[in-house]
Amino acid sequence: MPELTLQVGNVRLWLLSDGVSYWDGGGTFGLVGRSKWAKLLPPDEQNLVPQALRCVLIEADGRRVLVDCGVGDKPNELLATQYDVRRPSGTLLDDLHRLGLSPEDVHLVVFTHLHGDHSGWATCLSGERLAPTFPHARYIVQRREFDDAMHPNERTRNTYFADNFAPLWDCGVLVLLDGPTQITPSIRVVPTPGHTAGHQSLIVQPRGEPPIFLTGDLSPYMIHFVRLPWVTAYDVLPMQTIDTKRHWQLWAFEQRAIVVNSHDVHMPVGRLIRNEKGFFSAQPLDAHT
Ligand SMILES: [Zn+2]
């Protein structure tokens, strides 16, 4: 079943999963020494740590909006050798089916960014050809992200797989945004550059309730949101990540926002609190808040 269901005012969210991927902990925690992060997330003997492949389904304003879509199932040698995906409960599509939904039921797909662990199910093989997996959906991403993904460099080449997004453009279902945009009356996107230059996060605003902030990889684990210098080694603009986090960390605290991250296996959802010295920490949040 979905990892968590949240009902906040007129909005419903399901945390869905495309499995768990095992990555080198040095990548996840960047400059932070292993002795620090290993206490929070003990690595295995190969230094691998688990990353939930989290996707979020939002039901609001009569629309079903899927945020990010895992690694998918298209044959990909690099993914097979480097992503180490384990799926004891199946894929994102299995999670959707458990909710009684099929790909036809999704109206919008929003990408926080186009890395291979966030855009995999966007397309699938239909016979010989690649087609959108969600046939009735519009797909939404920042233009800057799409441009960078279509022109990867030596550093980003191993994570932008054109099969995931180029067919969307060819089919005319990809919508490119330039900055903050209201997607539905309750859902907007805001640029959160750092992990990638064109990265965006989502703010869901239920009526009369605190907002819900879907960080994407601005904060893969909750600890990244709490501690500004904790930045992954994958971030292309690490100082920008810190500035972006500084802004949204304070915003989330002041708004009492529910924060949902992209990969944390222990605390997918939480709320910031601050001690008398001014330091932030996160409190886990259970379902049905
Ligand atoms: Zn990611």
Side-chain angles (χ1 to χ4, degrees):
M1 280 311 285
E3 184 178 22
L4 195 71
T5 305
L6 284 169
Q7 171 89 47
V8 188
N10 58 320
V11 168
R12 243 175 145 189
L13 277 91
W14 291 267
L15 304 198
L16 307 181
S17 169
D18 198 33
V20 178
S21 183
Y22 286 74
W23 297 66
D24 192 286
T28 306
F29 295 106
L31 288 178
V32 178
R34 177 178 149 128
S35 60
K36 283 191 183 157
W37 60 255
K39 283 185 208 145
L40 303 170
L41 196 64
D44 69 11
E45 62 284 351
Q46 291 174 293
N47 208 42
L48 302 180
V49 293
Q51 321 254 351
L53 295 168
R54 184 161 298 117
C55 315
V56 181
L57 181 70
I58 309 168
E59 210 171 69
D61 313 310
R63 317 283 279 167
R64 285 193 203 93
V65 182
L66 180 63
V67 182
D68 288 342
C69 46
V71 296
D73 73 341
K74 293 184 291 296
N76 180 325
E77 204 174 305
L78 208 135
L79 211 140
T81 52
Q82 291 187 16
Y83 278 55
D84 192 0
V85 177
R86 304 175 202 176
R87 286 167 158 158
S89 304
T91 70
L92 166 64
L93 298 194
D94 295 316
D95 250 4
L96 277 174
H97 283 135
R98 284 188 274 265
L99 291 176
L101 299 172
S102 67
E104 284 78 12
D105 298 315
V106 174
H107 302 112
L108 291 170
V109 178
V110 181
F111 301 110
T112 59
H113 61 303
L114 291 170
H115 281 171
D117 56 328
H118 294 255
S119 58
W121 279 110
T123 61
C124 58
L125 274 171
S126 167
E128 293 283 280
R129 142 194 120 76
L130 288 162
T133 304
F134 305 96
H136 305 319
R138 296 252 154 200
Y139 292 70
I140 296 175
V141 72
Q142 290 287 325
R143 184 185 308 276
R144 173 65 195 266
E145 179 66 16
F146 182 62
D147 287 347
D148 287 351
M150 291 296 281
H151 304 96
N153 57 35
E154 290 79 358
R155 187 179 161 95
T156 62
R157 191 160 288 140
N158 283 357
T159 187
Y160 282 135
F161 307 124
D163 280 358
N164 289 341
F165 42 80
L168 305 175
W169 180 253
D170 297 338
C171 294
V173 295
L174 191 63
V175 180
L176 301 180
L177 305 180
D178 295 296
T181 305
Q182 198 78 36
I183 302 290
T184 77
S186 307
I187 305 171
R188 65 189 162 108
V189 296
V190 290
T192 46
H195 185 67
T196 67
H199 190 280
Q200 63 183 356
S201 302
L202 285 87
I203 297 171
V204 185
Q205 183 61 70
R207 271 193 296 274
E209 301 282 345
I212 303 158
F213 187 49
L214 309 186
T215 66
D217 276 354
L218 175 65
S219 161
Y221 271 71
M222 203 60 91
I223 190 74
H224 293 98
F225 199 57
V226 168
R227 297 193 191 165
L228 297 183
W230 288 48
V231 174
T232 82
Y234 310 111
D235 286 37
V236 294
L237 302 166
M239 286 312 299
Q240 177 100 58
T241 300
I242 290 175
D243 282 341
T244 304
K245 285 200 296 183
R246 196 190 324 276
H247 172 83
W248 289 104
Q249 185 191 60
L250 191 59
W251 173 88
F253 173 69
E254 289 175 349
Q255 298 287 321
R256 300 194 66 249
I258 295 171
V259 178
V260 182
N261 61 59
S262 55
H263 294 302
D264 197 326
V265 288
H266 298 306
M267 201 196 298
V269 181
R271 203 173 237 146
L272 290 188
I273 53 172
R274 204 175 201 179
N275 70 13
E276 61 283 353
K277 288 184 183 160
F279 291 117
F280 288 111
S281 60
Q283 263 186 344
L285 200 82
D286 293 322
H288 311 299
T289 304

